[in-house]
Amino acid sequence: GAVVSQHPSRVICKSGTSVKIECRSLDFQATTMFWYRQFPKQSLMLMATSNEGSKATYEQGVEKDKFLINHASLTLSTLTVTSAHPEDSSFYICSAHLGGTEAFFGQGTRLTVV
Amino acid sequence: QKEVEQNSGPLSVPEGAIASLNCTYSDRGSQSFFWYRQYSGKSPELIMFIYSNGDKEDGRFTAQLNKASQYVSLLIRDSQPSDSATYLCAVSGLDKLSFGAGTTVTVRA
């Protein structure tokens, strides 16, 4: 199946710093990628839809100035958590759709803000 | 009302038994339905998708879809300890997937 690679898999940062997470589609072009956040024992919550060459679409309640999304090419989307705080600690997952609506997920990034 | 609802679980079944997972959705116009398996600390992986009413079988997994009842289910036959995971139901809308909260399955050896 299609492969989506996410990096890093785990990151620990100090409160107030920024963290960048990369999501790459390795063997297909993805005009749209999705960013999710998952807190322990909860389901995936869509944060934003990343569109190549245009602004991301954020879900209600997600601060676009805090979670910066850049989709500069057909194979790469990045999520930057700016001025991270402990409450931003979570599991962040990206996905891309191949063809129809079947989603392929990256490996996820475990962010811990200390 | 949540867009996608799953039976809350957790669901504990003995090894070799059938695990039955249920999911209902609110958008009658939904066209595509997916079951993902998520192991603890990992991202979801697709195990089944179904588009048409009826049953779809893939190995030990069977997905069932009833659009009139807005209901989709997943059966896991001959459950194995390696099937222990959280199973997420996902429904495709216009431009995104909506996920249920997941049902955690534990297969007892």
Side-chain angles (χ1 to χ4, degrees):
Chain A
V3 178
V4 175
S5 177
Q6 189 174 340
H7 177 81
S9 59
R10 192 178 294 268
V11 59
I12 300 174
C13 70
K14 290 184 177 180
S15 186
T17 62
S18 296
V19 173
K20 180 185 283 188
I21 303 169
E22 292 188 348
C23 181
R24 294 180 185 273
S25 56
L26 296 185
D27 50 4
F28 66 102
Q29 294 181 331
T31 55
T32 303
M33 292 185 177
F34 300 86
W35 288 96
Y36 297 86
R37 180 168 53 184
Q38 187 177 37
F39 292 106
K41 300 192 185 299
Q42 295 186 23
S43 189
L44 297 170
M45 295 302 297
L46 180 65
M47 298 176 65
T49 302
S50 171
N51 304 297
E52 188 269 336
S54 65
K55 291 183 179 180
T57 303
Y58 290 82
E59 295 300 301
Q60 190 173 11
V62 178
E63 300 175 59
K64 61 181 180 181
D65 294 331
K66 181 170 184 63
F67 299 98
L68 300 179
I69 291 173
N70 184 283
H71 195 152
S73 77
L74 288 171
T75 59
L76 174 64
S77 175
T78 61
L79 168 68
T80 301
V81 183
T82 62
S83 186
H85 291 284
E87 58 265 31
D88 298 322
S89 298
S90 188
F91 191 48
Y92 292 86
I93 311 172
C94 69
S95 77
H97 292 185
L98 177 64
T101 55
E102 182 179 347
F104 293 91
F105 288 91
Q107 300 93 323
T109 298
R110 174 74 58 192
L111 170 64
T112 303
V113 184
V114 297
Chain B
Q1 182 187 8
K2 292 182 181 177
E3 293 182 40
V4 181
E5 297 204 49
Q6 296 182 239
N7 46 333
S8 56
L11 179 64
S12 180
V13 298
E15 185 173 359
I18 295 175
S20 178
L21 307 172
N22 301 317
C23 173
T24 58
Y25 59 95
S26 61
D27 184 357
R28 188 170 287 278
S30 300
Q31 295 295 319
S32 307
F33 308 86
F34 306 86
W35 283 101
Y36 288 86
R37 177 176 61 199
Q38 186 176 24
Y39 292 113
S40 180
K42 303 294 184 182
S43 64
E45 56 179 328
L46 181 69
I47 53 173
M48 288 284 291
F49 62 87
I50 186 167
Y51 301 141
S52 304
N53 279 328
D55 295 359
K56 180 181 180 182
E57 186 174 318
D58 184 359
R60 296 186 294 110
F61 299 97
T62 299
Q64 299 173 316
L65 174 62
N66 183 325
K67 290 186 179 181
S69 299
Q70 296 175 239
Y71 170 90
V72 58
S73 67
L74 179 71
L75 297 177
I76 307 174
R77 290 184 302 282
D78 188 24
S79 295
Q80 302 296 309
S82 59
D83 295 327
S84 297
T86 297
Y87 290 80
L88 301 171
C89 172
V91 176
S92 175
L94 285 177
D95 55 0
K96 63 183 180 182
L97 284 177
S98 296
F99 287 87
T103 299
T104 298
V105 174
T106 301
V107 180
R108 309 186 304 271

